């Protein structure tokens, strides 16, 4: 039988193997964390339905990346009269803010692969990484999948 302590240890070991080889591990007790205004704001955000389960939209187009070196993503687009009116990008990569930012670039774009690609590639910080992979590489991978679509 698996208990929560064993599960926790397994998750930590797997995370270290994937993302933190050679790095020191710091453990802190939750009671040592000051519960200031910023922490309460973050708790509220990460406890929300939208963050935990994702914003659900009535989508017209769905693009799946399949497995890539950094993870995988699913792009959902709501399209009206050939224009993207809403977008959500889900990913198992560990940078939800990046995918939320990428999603926010798409409303207003014509529903054409090159237009979508241009918006996703606009002003990517090449220094920022997700699990050791640059955001630029992730954006390039998303764009390649989009450009391969026939819509």
């Amino acid at each position: 039988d698996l208990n929560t302590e064993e599960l926790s240890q397994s998750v930590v070991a797997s995370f270290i193997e994937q993302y933190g080889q050679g790095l020191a591990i710091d453990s802190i007790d939750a009671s040592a964390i000051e519960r200031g205004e910023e922490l309460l704001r973050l708790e509220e955000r990460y406890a929300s339905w939208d963050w935990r389960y994702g914003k659900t939209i009535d989508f017209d187009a769905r693009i799946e990346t399949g497995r890539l070196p950094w993870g995988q993503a699913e792009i959902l687009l709501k399209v009206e009269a050939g224009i993207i009116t809403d977008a959500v990008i889900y990913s198992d990569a560990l940078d939800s803010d990046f995918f939320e930012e990428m999603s926010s670039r798409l409303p207003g774009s014509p529903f054409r692969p090159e237009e979508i690609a241009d918006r996703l590639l606009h002003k990517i910080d090449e220094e920022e990484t997700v699990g050791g992979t640059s955001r630029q590489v992730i954006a390039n991978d998303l764009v390649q999948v989009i450009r391969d679509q026939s819509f």
Side-chain angles (χ1 to χ4, degrees), residues 78-114:
K78 177 71 177 165
V79 181
E80 295 176 14
I83 303 295
I84 297 171
T85 59
D86 202 358
V88 177
I89 301 175
Y90 297 113
S91 177
D92 60 357
L94 298 174
D95 191 350
S96 60
D97 291 339
F98 175 62
F99 292 99
E100 191 173 305
E101 175 195 334
M102 298 296 275
S103 297
S104 72
R105 296 173 177 203
L106 299 178
S109 172
F111 183 59
R112 292 192 299 269
E114 283 307 314

Side-chain angles (χ1 to χ4, degrees), residues 6-63:
E6 290 169 339
L7 177 61
S8 178
Q9 290 172 358
S10 179
V11 168
V12 169
S14 179
F15 186 88
I16 291 168
E17 180 182 323
Q18 184 69 31
Y19 301 104
Q21 293 179 350
L23 299 176
I25 300 171
D26 290 334
S27 295
I28 60 172
D29 187 279
S31 64
I33 299 172
E34 183 180 327
R35 298 190 55 78
E37 193 173 303
E38 177 67 6
L39 179 62
L40 293 174
R41 185 187 67 74
L42 290 172
E43 281 181 348
E44 183 177 317
R45 176 182 179 199
Y46 295 124
S48 75
W49 178 275
D50 282 350
W51 194 88
R52 289 172 50 197
Y53 301 107
K55 175 183 160 192
T56 303
I57 65 171
D58 181 22
F59 62 90
D60 298 304
R62 176 181 175 178
I63 303 166

